[in-house]
Amino acid sequence: MSFQSLGLSKPLLDAIQKMEYAEPYPIQSKAIPAILSGKDVQGNAQTGSGKTASFVLPILEMFHKKKESRNLHLKVLILVPTRELAMQISEVIDSFSEHLPIKVKNLAVFGGVPLNQQMVRLKNTEILVATPGRLLDMVSTNSIHLGKIEILVLDEADKMLDMGFQDEMADILRLIPAKRQNILFSATLDTKLDKIKSSVLHNPEIIEIEAEVQNLDLIKQTAYIVNAERKGPLLRHLIVSQNMVQVLVFVSSTRTADNVVAKLKKNGINASAIHSKKTQAARTEALSGFKKGKVNILVATDLASRGIDIQFLPFVINYELPRSPKDYVHRIGRTGRANSPGEAISLITLEEEPHFYIIQKKMGKRVEKIDAETLDFGF
Ligand code: AMP
């Protein structure tokens, strides 16, 4: 994937080259075309993912396309939680817009500096990057009008809520036109965001970028050494004895996925499979059932599991090990997110043990082993 293929014009491509960005980061490949198409976008990505350029570039492209017909009024509002982020985004806008034939003026406004200083610089500003409190101060002194906003960006929306900006955000939403494009970025998928998402976004394109697992210490890892034919009974034993109600089980083939699901169902455990041989509709249904708690066990292959975003997933079970240690970390990283502890259990045959040794070595962690042969499953 190249920046050229994303629909950006030459001046912006030149700017990108000057910044020495070799190719788009995943969030950029997805968000840039979606924003250019005029859709609302919800991006789940952390700082460091390249999220700033993912909304700044398409916004500037839209300015560039309008060319001469542009009126110099405020069209884009970017709300951010902190002054540091406001300044950072403003600088990114400056460096990308440098090459545009018609300049786009952007301004960052935030508390802690005299209001007047920022007010005098407002003239001809087309993109405003603001913290919510300072923006409302400016509105109340009549120094700014939000009636012609066409695009609203809420960056680090989760942090804005954490910092108590909920009421300010609601006030701002009342001041801007209802018809506009909305872009919302958040590092977490916290449910506290649900209200703001539903009030702001219309049919958004949802873009989820996996953060690398930062802290494996949050995940309790255990490995059971077990004969291949006892894996099924052990899986059922673990689910039943630990009262597991939401488990993502990983297998290495679509056939095993279907077999495991069939066995679980036969034993009265509610399970669904998600893999490449299922239709998109069946996958969506399985995932939504799992998220809603209608399906307790979701059995997935690695490929199908990408993009599964479930908050606070308590258990991941490796019914079979993945080939690469990276995939192992990726799998177990689905639990222990957002600072909530999770548990990852691997079912390992004697033949798989040397491979598991390599996984542990690469991950830099030793995993406690339990000999399942000594366990009485009770069935
Ligand atoms: P952000 O997540 O927006 O704070 O960006 C994190 C860092 O990645 C910043 O220093 C950007 O300049 C840099 N960056 C963003 N996109 C790219 C890219 N496609 N290639 C290389 N670096 C990038």
Side-chain angles (χ1 to χ4, degrees):
M1 176 81 63
S2 67
F3 277 107
Q4 279 85 349
S5 65
L6 296 178
L8 299 170
S9 305
K10 181 148 191 321
L12 287 173
L13 293 173
D14 290 345
I16 289 166
Q17 202 174 23
K18 202 171 156 207
M19 308 267 285
E20 295 182 345
Y21 290 2
E23 55 179 46
Y25 284 169
I27 185 92
Q28 295 160 354
S29 312
K30 292 179 179 158
I32 293 172
I35 296 172
L36 283 176
S37 76
K39 283 180 89 171
D40 279 8
V41 167
Q42 177 195 323
N44 302 315
Q46 320 254 351
T47 298
S49 59
K51 66 182 167 64
T52 316
S54 81
F55 63 83
V56 168
L57 285 167
I59 289 173
L60 289 175
E61 179 66 32
M62 292 192 261
F63 274 91
H64 178 60
K65 289 238 167 70
K66 281 195 185 161
K67 296 215 173 88
E68 268 69 37
S69 58
R70 243 163 60 203
N71 289 320
L72 295 180
H73 60 250
L74 190 57
K75 301 174 188 73
V76 178
L77 175 62
I78 303 171
L79 281 184
V80 296
T82 62
R83 73 163 82 183
E84 290 76 22
L85 188 59
M87 289 191 291
Q88 205 177 299
I89 294 174
S90 177
E91 280 165 22
V92 173
I93 300 173
D94 276 338
S95 44
F96 280 127
S97 59
E98 208 181 25
H99 292 248
L100 291 177
I102 300 175
K103 296 281 158 264
V104 179
K105 182 170 168 190
N106 96 86
L107 183 68
V109 298
F110 39 79
V113 285
L115 195 61
N116 284 351
Q117 249 180 43
Q118 292 171 341
M119 261 156 49
V120 293
R121 297 172 55 206
L122 269 170
K123 196 164 181 271
N124 292 343
T125 295
E126 293 182 273
I127 304 178
L128 189 71
V129 192
T131 52
R134 173 52 54 105
L135 180 68
L136 287 173
D137 290 345
M138 292 187 139
V139 170
S140 69
T141 57
N142 250 336
S143 43
I144 202 162
H145 298 282
L146 303 177
K148 290 186 174 167
I149 295 291
E150 295 164 19
I151 301 177
L152 172 71
V153 181
L154 301 178
D155 195 14
E156 300 196 358
D158 47 348
K159 199 160 170 193
M160 278 198 275
L161 293 184
D162 286 344
M163 290 174 69
F165 284 131
Q166 188 144 359
D167 293 343
E168 283 89 344
M169 284 158 84
D171 288 346
I172 293 165
L173 288 176
R174 276 192 287 272
L175 294 167
I176 58 180
K179 192 171 174 297
R180 53 169 203 265
Q181 185 178 10
N182 300 288
I183 300 159
L184 183 147
F185 276 96
S186 151
T188 61
L189 294 160
D190 212 307
T191 43
K192 66 175 183 256
L193 277 166
D194 289 354
K195 209 170 136 205
I196 190 101
K197 276 192 225 157
S198 62
S199 65
V200 169
L201 299 168
H202 303 284
N203 243 334
E205 175 139 345
I206 297 173
I207 300 169
E208 153 91 352
I209 299 300
E210 280 290 318
E212 290 294 314
V213 179
Q214 304 287 334
N215 191 355
L216 288 176
D217 294 337
L218 277 177
I219 305 165
K220 180 173 180 243
Q221 297 187 57
T222 317
Y224 285 86
I225 310 301
V226 62
N227 285 332
E229 65 274 15
R230 295 234 310 162
K231 277 193 178 183
L234 174 58
L235 176 66
R236 296 203 305 275
H237 169 74
L238 290 170
I239 292 168
V240 174
S241 66
Q242 296 193 36
N243 269 327
M244 296 178 179
V245 289
Q246 199 183 34
V247 192
L248 185 56
V249 176
F250 282 100
V251 294
S252 45
S253 73
T254 59
R255 227 180 87 191
T256 314
D258 290 336
N259 285 343
V260 170
V261 167
K263 290 249 171 63
L264 288 173
K265 278 187 168 165
K266 211 172 127 202
N267 285 281
I269 297 169
N270 201 335
S272 263
I274 184 164
H275 57 63
S276 54
K277 296 221 171 97
K278 297 257 174 197
T279 61
Q280 189 55 47
R283 286 196 233 177
T284 310
E285 193 185 305
L287 187 57
S288 100
F290 185 58
K291 281 187 179 179
K292 287 185 193 138
K294 284 191 204 152
V295 171
N296 299 118
I297 318 294
L298 189 67
V299 184
T301 54
D302 285 298
L303 216 65
S305 79
R306 309 241 177 241
I308 294 181
D309 67 89
I310 303 142
Q311 226 196 333
F312 305 143
L313 188 60
F315 293 102
V316 164
I317 296 183
N318 291 310
Y319 190 86
E320 289 159 325
L321 287 177
R323 245 178 257 148
S324 88
K326 210 168 146 213
D327 277 347
Y328 175 87
V329 172
H330 186 82
R331 283 181 180 186
I332 70 167
R334 310 220 158 242
T335 175
R337 290 177 140 197
N339 291 334
S340 78
E343 204 169 330
I345 299 170
S346 299
L347 313 189
I348 296 167
T349 60
L350 280 179
E351 295 74 49
E352 285 175 304
E353 260 202 294
H355 182 50
F356 193 56
Y357 175 75
I358 295 169
I359 290 177
Q360 292 174 77
K361 213 171 151 204
K362 282 265 161 61
M363 158 169 79
K365 266 192 176 301
R366 284 190 71 83
V367 176
E368 186 204 347
K369 283 192 198 130
I370 297 170
D371 184 358
E373 296 311 310
T374 61
L375 293 178
D376 177 11
F377 301 156
F379 42 75

